[in-house]
Amino acid sequence: MHLASVPRRRLHNKYIRGLAAGIVLSVSALTPLHAQDTSLPTLGGVGGGLISDQQEAAIGRQVMQSLRRSAEQINDPLVVDYLASVVYRLVPYAPLENRDLKMVVIDSPAINAFAVPGGIIGVNGGLFLNAETEQQFASVMAHELAHLSQRHFARRMEQQETSAPMTIAGMLAGIILSAVTKSDVGIAAIAGTQALAVQNMLQYSRANEQEADRVGLDILADAGMDPRGMPEMFEIMMRQNRIQGGQPPEYLSTHPLTQSRIADTRNRASQYPNKEHDDTLEYHLVRARLQVLYSQSPQQAVEVFQAYIDGRGEMAEPTAHYGLAVAHLRADQPGQAEAILRDLLDKTPGRITYQVTLAEALMKNGKVDEAIALMQSALHRNPGNYPILYQLAAAQYEAGHAQQAADLYTQLTNQFPDSVDLWQKLADAEGQARNIVGVHRARAEYYILMGDLEAARRQLQEAQSKVPPGTPVREIVSQRLSQVTDALAQRR
C-alpha cells in the first residue's frame, strides 16, 4: 500500500504564471531589501566572470522572494529542522565559499531538489517519500551542494556569453519553474526570452553532472555517510521514469540521468571503504509525517500504519507507531495519538520529535496548559531548539498568553529572519497582545520578504505615527522606513 498515491494538493498554473512574472519584473532591480538588514546591499562586481558573488546573492534573494509568492511550502518545524540538520552535516565537507544557506521545502509529492545561486537549497516533500533511506536522501543534498560549490549555473551562463537582463530573468524563471513543475512548462511560460538558451541553461551538462557526482560522493564519505546512497537514489529515479511511461521525474528534467552515469556512480561509490551506515531514526519519523501529509486521507493513513504494526508491511516498529500517532492526529483523533506518543516517550524519554508531536496532540485534546508545561520542560533541556520553541509559542498563543507568544516569536524571527511564516505568526500574536506598533513592524517585515515594498512602507509609516518621538523604538522604525524608501527609489 502506498500512502502517496494521491497528492494532498498540487501546484497550480496560477502559481507558475505569477512566478515567471515575478522574476521577470524584479530581476532588473537587483538591490533587494533583506529582512532586518542594517544597510542596503549594492551590486558590485568582484570575483570576476559574468556573474559576481554579489550578483549570485542578489539572484538568490530574488528567487526566494518569488518562491514565497508563488509556491506552497511546508513550514512544519520538524521537517524544516531535519532538512537543516542533514544539510549542515554535509556542509563542512563541501568546498563552498558561502556557507550561509537558505532552505525551502516545496509542498509537492514529486521527486525534486534544486540549488540556486546565492546559496538556496530546495527540496520537494516528495523527495522524502521516495528516498527509502537517509543515505539516499543525503546523496541528493550532497549532489546539490556540489553544484553550488562548483558554481555550475554561473559557468553555464558564461559559456552562453550573454548578460541581457531579460535573458537572465528568463533563465531564473525557468530554473524555479522546473523546481515546482515540469521543465517544458517552465520554458513555455518564459515569454520574450531566448528559449533555446534557457533550455540549455536548465539542463546541466554531462560534465557538470559527473563533476557534481564526484564532488557529492566525496562530501558524503567525508561526512560519514554512505556514498552508495547516490546510485541507489538514481536507480529509484530511473524506476519512477519507467513507471511513469517515460515521463521523467521533475529532477531528471534538469539533471539528465543515463544508465551509464548510474554505473559510473556505482563504480566510484564502490571504491570508498565499505562500512556500515545506519540511518538516524529521525529521518524515518520525518518521512512518516510526510507520508501522512500526502496520503489520500488521514483515515487511509491510519489504516496503512496500523497494517505495518500488524505485520503486513516492512517498517521499523517505532516509525510505524509514530506514523500511526500522526495519522490519528490528522484524523482529529488526538486521544489515540496521545496514548501512542506517551508510550513512545516511555520507551525513549526526551526524544524531541515525540515531545513536540505530543504537545500537538495535547493542544488538540484541549490540554493546552499541559502542552505548555511539556514544551517548557523540553526547552529547559534543549535551549534554543527550533521545533520546541515553535510549538511552545503556538501553545502560548492558543492559551491566550499573547505576550509570551509574541516574545517567543520575536526570538524565532531574530534567529530565522527569512521566514514569512514566523513574521505572520508574530503579527498575529502582537495583535492579540494589543501591541499595534508590533503588528505593523511584523507585517512590514513580511511584506519586505514578499517583495511588496509599498505595503511595507505603509506599515512602517503607521508604526512611526504611533510611537513617540525620541524613543528607541521610534528610531528603529524610522531607520527601517528609510531603508525601504531608499529601496523603492532605486527600483524606479
Side-chain angles (χ1 to χ4, degrees):
M1 248 182 291
H2 295 287
L3 286 166
S5 54
V6 176
R8 184 171 61 92
R9 56 179 178 264
R10 297 183 185 276
L11 296 168
H12 300 292
N13 286 338
K14 65 178 181 180
Y15 298 143
I16 305 310
R17 291 193 296 271
L19 184 55
I23 296 182
V24 169
L25 288 172
S26 63
V27 129
S28 59
L30 289 177
T31 315
L33 185 64
H34 201 38
Q36 295 192 328
D37 277 348
T38 56
S39 62
L40 290 175
T42 57
L43 213 62
V46 301
L50 183 61
I51 303 181
S52 69
D53 291 341
Q54 292 100 322
Q55 286 172 316
E56 285 201 1
I59 287 169
R61 286 191 288 267
Q62 293 290 344
V63 165
M64 284 297 293
Q65 204 172 85
S66 297
L67 279 172
R68 293 180 191 117
R69 289 197 302 261
S70 307
E72 288 192 70
Q73 297 179 28
I74 294 173
N75 295 310
D76 183 332
L78 290 169
V79 176
V80 172
D81 191 61
Y82 172 78
L83 176 62
S85 72
V86 75
V87 169
Y88 279 106
R89 180 177 173 182
L90 299 169
V91 160
Y93 308 98
L96 287 165
E97 292 183 12
N98 173 25
R99 297 191 174 187
D100 180 20
L101 304 178
K102 294 177 178 61
M103 281 151 271
V104 58
V105 185
I106 301 296
D107 188 359
S108 167
I111 300 177
N112 204 9
F114 57 94
V116 177
I120 311 300
I121 297 285
V123 302
N124 284 8
L127 183 61
F128 287 92
L129 301 182
N130 289 278
E132 297 168 358
T133 71
E134 187 173 40
Q135 315 304 314
Q136 294 167 3
F137 181 88
S139 76
V140 179
M141 297 297 95
H143 185 93
E144 295 306 317
L145 286 171
H147 277 308
L148 278 183
S149 71
Q150 304 307 302
R151 299 188 75 217
H152 284 153
F153 173 81
R155 285 159 58 184
R156 291 285 285 170
M157 284 197 70
E158 288 165 12
Q159 289 170 9
Q160 295 294 321
E161 296 183 350
T162 177
S163 58
M166 287 301 291
T167 301
I168 294 175
M171 291 173 181
L172 288 172
I175 287 171
I176 301 306
L177 290 171
S178 74
V180 296
T181 182
K182 302 201 182 303
S183 63
D184 56 344
V185 176
I187 297 300
I190 305 167
T193 63
Q194 300 174 18
L196 182 59
V198 175
Q199 179 79 47
N200 292 337
M201 287 299 305
L202 285 173
Q203 294 179 345
Y204 286 117
S205 68
R206 288 186 180 181
N208 287 158
E209 287 302 311
Q210 288 175 343
E211 186 174 38
D213 291 344
R214 176 181 56 77
V215 174
L217 288 168
D218 284 342
I219 292 170
L220 285 169
D222 292 343
M225 304 196 79
D226 192 355
R228 291 160 186 79
M230 188 176 288
E232 290 172 5
M233 192 68 224
F234 289 163
E235 287 283 7
I236 289 171
M237 292 177 186
M238 289 297 278
R239 284 202 301 272
Q240 285 282 348
N241 187 26
R242 290 191 291 269
I243 291 170
Q244 295 173 15
Q247 184 71 23
E250 293 174 12
Y251 191 75
L252 300 189
S253 298
T254 51
H255 297 71
L257 183 63
T258 63
Q259 287 293 349
S260 63
R261 183 177 155 210
I262 295 174
D264 180 65
T265 307
R266 187 184 298 111
N267 179 58
R268 287 180 180 274
S270 68
Q271 295 173 26
Y272 292 86
N274 193 4
K275 303 176 182 176
E276 287 294 323
H277 297 84
D278 294 327
D279 287 354
T280 64
L281 177 58
E282 197 61 31
Y283 174 73
H284 294 282
L285 299 180
V286 168
R287 187 170 183 249
R289 287 181 75 86
L290 290 168
Q291 286 176 312
V292 174
L293 178 69
Y294 290 115
S295 62
Q296 288 181 335
S297 68
Q299 192 54 48
Q300 188 226 24
V302 169
E303 294 169 3
V304 169
F305 280 106
Q306 188 62 59
Y308 285 132
I309 292 168
D310 294 340
R312 299 195 298 274
E314 295 180 5
M315 184 176 283
E317 182 180 349
T319 304
H321 281 87
Y322 178 74
L324 180 60
V326 175
H328 278 307
L329 196 54
R330 301 293 177 262
D332 291 322
Q333 299 163 345
Q336 291 93 318
E338 180 184 339
I340 295 169
L341 290 161
R342 288 190 185 281
D343 184 60
L344 287 169
L345 275 170
D346 284 343
K347 296 173 182 175
T348 316
R351 180 167 286 278
I352 291 171
T353 299
Y354 296 161
Q355 292 174 318
V356 169
T357 312
L358 176 56
E360 288 183 80
L362 290 169
M363 288 171 64
K364 274 204 169 186
N365 219 10
K367 303 176 182 179
V368 182
D369 290 342
E370 195 173 341
I372 291 172
L374 175 63
M375 290 296 89
Q376 287 175 333
S377 175
L379 189 62
H380 180 74
R381 290 191 298 274
N382 306 277
N385 179 268
Y386 175 57
I388 296 173
L389 276 170
Y390 189 102
Q391 197 61 41
L392 177 57
Q396 294 283 19
Y397 183 83
E398 181 73 18
H401 304 156
Q403 191 56 59
Q404 291 94 321
D407 290 344
L408 288 164
Y409 284 127
T410 297
Q411 183 178 341
L412 286 167
T413 54
N414 286 336
Q415 292 180 33
F416 307 99
D418 296 305
S419 171
V420 293
D421 174 56
L422 291 175
W423 286 112
Q424 284 180 303
K425 291 183 182 302
L426 176 57
D428 290 342
E430 295 283 26
Q432 192 180 81
R434 291 179 167 75
N435 179 4
I436 304 305
V437 172
V439 172
H440 289 308
R441 291 180 64 192
R443 285 178 179 170
E445 297 302 331
Y446 166 82
Y447 284 124
I448 288 168
L449 289 172
M450 298 298 287
D452 190 346
L453 297 187
E454 289 284 3
R457 180 169 65 175
R458 289 194 296 271
Q459 292 294 327
L460 290 167
Q461 288 170 336
E462 288 287 339
Q464 187 184 56
S465 71
K466 293 175 173 60
V467 182
T471 61
V473 173
R474 174 68 175 248
E475 184 177 343
I476 292 169
V477 171
S478 297
Q479 182 183 20
R480 196 64 170 144
L481 177 58
S482 176
Q483 292 172 346
V484 171
T485 302
D486 288 347
L488 277 167
Q490 292 173 25
R491 271 191 181 180
R492 295 190 179 111

